[in-house]
Amino acid sequence: MGQTTIKDVARRAGVSFQTVSLVLNHPQKVARTTRETIETAMRDLDFVPSLAARSLRKKPSRSIACVFAPAPEPAADGSRPGEETDHGRVLQTFGTVTDQQGYTLVHRCRRGDDPDGPGRIASLVSEARVDGLVVFAEGRDDPLIGLLQAKRCPFVVFGLDVPGTHYAARAERDAIHGAVRHLIAAGSRSICLLTGDARRPAADTERFRGYRDALAEAGLPLRDALVVPCDGTVAGGYRAARALLETGPGARPDAVVAASDGVALGALRALHEGGVRVPAEIRVVGFDNLAQGAYAVPSLTSVDVPVLDMVRFAFATLVELIEGTRAPDDLAQKLFPTRLVVRESSAAAPS
């Protein structure tokens, strides 16, 4: 059987081949229902667009796009859940690396409730405005990923291990597992896990696995009351720690593993106001190892993430896909190990 053509796709979808071509090159100009019908036909027929033919019509843009969800609307107290994440640091690192390699970085926000959003993002490649994409996926079932795969767009997922894709992600399970083991070795027996941004359930699931496994290995019970949801902000960490203090001395944890350094700093403030000594009464561990953690009182023990290594890996993989030196099905997948930077908040001397 010969290679599937756009005329085969057109017959399968019941449209003209010109409409199929329009979906490939200008998807935003095609009605969503028609576009979805054509994309289904492409997947059914395993249609692969002729990159050689399309390359005759366009030149490389020497640009890549980082695609991420916008920050949520401010809460009633003025806080913006998720704003104190490491996204800003990651994007800054991407900007530095792309600039060093002669590429331009483009930022693109997308909303999960926008049905046409994935099509507009994919059109960045089909219209040659960018050569490839780095996707900050919210979940493994992100519809944008399926669309980019169907269109054979060069892309890499950043921050989440999505099967069947190229990705650079941190080893979330191992990071929390190591933090909990450290606290157990320091003498903690009632450890609270402050979970993070609800928009990233896959990461939270992996972190919970690490927490649960470390407790089980030490013969400690898993207590539902010590797995506490938090919105990922400094204010959220403050509120969660205040609530823990209100449970009374008998039910209080003797350690807290926070979803981020921001959450941990909020918790430290609440513990200070409540007259709780850190680390003598409650130990605290953060995540991300932001610079301000080293200057907290007490200084904050935190999980350090190799952001630069992850960005370099993701960018190098994307360039290989763009330039054709890596086949799309030769998957580049890496979980990057983290390290625990031990400071005063977990009862150890500063390193």
Side-chain angles (χ1 to χ4, degrees), residues 184-248:
I184 292 171
S188 296
R189 294 295 179 268
S190 179
I191 302 170
C192 171
L193 177 67
L194 295 182
T195 61
D197 191 342
R199 297 178 302 165
R200 302 184 67 244
D204 261 1
T205 298
E206 289 301 300
R207 291 186 182 195
F208 175 76
R209 281 204 315 121
Y211 171 76
R212 178 199 63 197
D213 294 349
L215 292 179
E217 291 166 9
L220 297 176
L222 176 64
R223 294 164 52 191
D224 291 342
L226 292 182
V227 181
V228 180
C230 179
D231 65 12
T233 66
V234 173
Y238 176 85
R239 290 190 295 267
R242 287 293 298 265
L244 289 172
L245 295 182
E246 291 172 0
T247 61

Side-chain angles (χ1 to χ4, degrees), residues 270-295:
L271 296 176
H272 172 75
E273 291 181 357
V276 176
R277 294 172 296 152
V278 177
E281 296 176 75
I282 296 181
R283 300 179 176 93
V284 178
V285 174
F287 203 112
D288 291 330
N289 193 32
L290 300 182
Q292 53 264 46
Y295 298 96

Side-chain angles (χ1 to χ4, degrees), residues 12-324:
R12 180 66 170 256
V15 300
S16 68
F17 74 87
Q18 291 93 339
T19 304
V20 177
S21 179
L22 200 59
V23 167
L24 289 172
N25 296 292
H26 302 283
Q28 77 282 2
K29 297 181 180 180
V30 182
R32 180 163 60 91
T33 53
T34 302
R35 189 173 67 239
E36 290 174 348
T37 300
I38 293 172
E39 289 165 353
T40 299
M42 289 179 183
R43 288 192 293 270
D44 291 344
L45 296 174
D46 291 327
F47 172 69
V48 179
S50 174
L51 296 178
R54 292 169 69 188
S55 67
L56 296 175
R57 302 196 301 269
K58 63 184 183 181
K59 296 180 180 179
S61 67
R62 299 291 293 180
S63 298
I64 67 169
C66 280
V67 184
F68 52 93
E73 294 298 319
D77 62 359
S79 65
R80 192 181 292 270
E83 69 179 356
E84 292 116 349
T85 67
D86 62 346
H87 269 195
R89 179 171 59 150
V90 171
L91 290 174
Q92 184 179 37
T93 306
F94 262 112
T96 300
V97 171
T98 53
D99 185 63
Q100 290 171 346
Q101 300 301 320
Y103 276 76
T104 298
L105 183 67
V106 178
H107 296 176
R108 282 292 181 271
C109 288
R110 63 188 180 101
R111 301 192 67 89
D113 57 0
D114 179 5
D116 297 324
R120 284 197 295 272
I121 294 299
S123 71
L124 292 173
V125 176
S126 63
E127 296 178 3
R129 285 182 281 169
V130 301
D131 298 326
L133 306 164
V134 177
V135 179
F136 290 72
E138 299 300 317
R140 295 190 175 98
D141 58 350
D142 192 322
L144 176 60
I145 291 175
L147 179 58
L148 294 176
Q149 288 174 322
K151 289 182 173 295
R152 306 297 197 270
C153 295
F155 77 97
V156 176
V157 176
F158 191 89
L160 190 63
D161 53 327
V162 180
T165 70
H166 308 274
Y167 64 73
R170 57 195 182 191
E172 306 277 2
R173 181 264 176 197
D174 294 346
I176 297 302
H177 183 270
V180 174
R181 287 188 60 186
H182 162 73
L183 290 169
I184 292 171
S188 296
R189 294 295 179 268
S190 179
I191 302 170
C192 171
L193 177 67
L194 295 182
T195 61
D197 191 342
R199 297 178 302 165
R200 302 184 67 244
D204 261 1
T205 298
E206 289 301 300
R207 291 186 182 195
F208 175 76
R209 281 204 315 121
Y211 171 76
R212 178 199 63 197
D213 294 349
L215 292 179
E217 291 166 9
L220 297 176
L222 176 64
R223 294 164 52 191
D224 291 342
L226 292 182
V227 181
V228 180
C230 179
D231 65 12
T233 66
V234 173
Y238 176 85
R239 290 190 295 267
R242 287 293 298 265
L244 289 172
L245 295 182
E246 291 172 0
T247 61
R252 287 181 186 176
D254 57 15
V256 170
V257 178
S260 68
D261 281 359
V263 171
L265 292 172
L268 285 177
R269 176 69 182 185
L271 296 176
H272 172 75
E273 291 181 357
V276 176
R277 294 172 296 152
V278 177
E281 296 176 75
I282 296 181
R283 300 179 176 93
V284 178
V285 174
F287 203 112
D288 291 330
N289 193 32
L290 300 182
Q292 53 264 46
Y295 298 96
V297 180
S299 58
L300 181 63
T301 293
S302 184
V303 174
D304 185 67
V305 180
V307 173
L308 180 58
D309 291 342
M310 292 173 64
V311 168
R312 284 174 171 164
F313 177 85
F315 177 77
T317 299
L318 187 56
V319 170
E320 289 174 351
L321 295 171
I322 291 169
E323 296 181 349

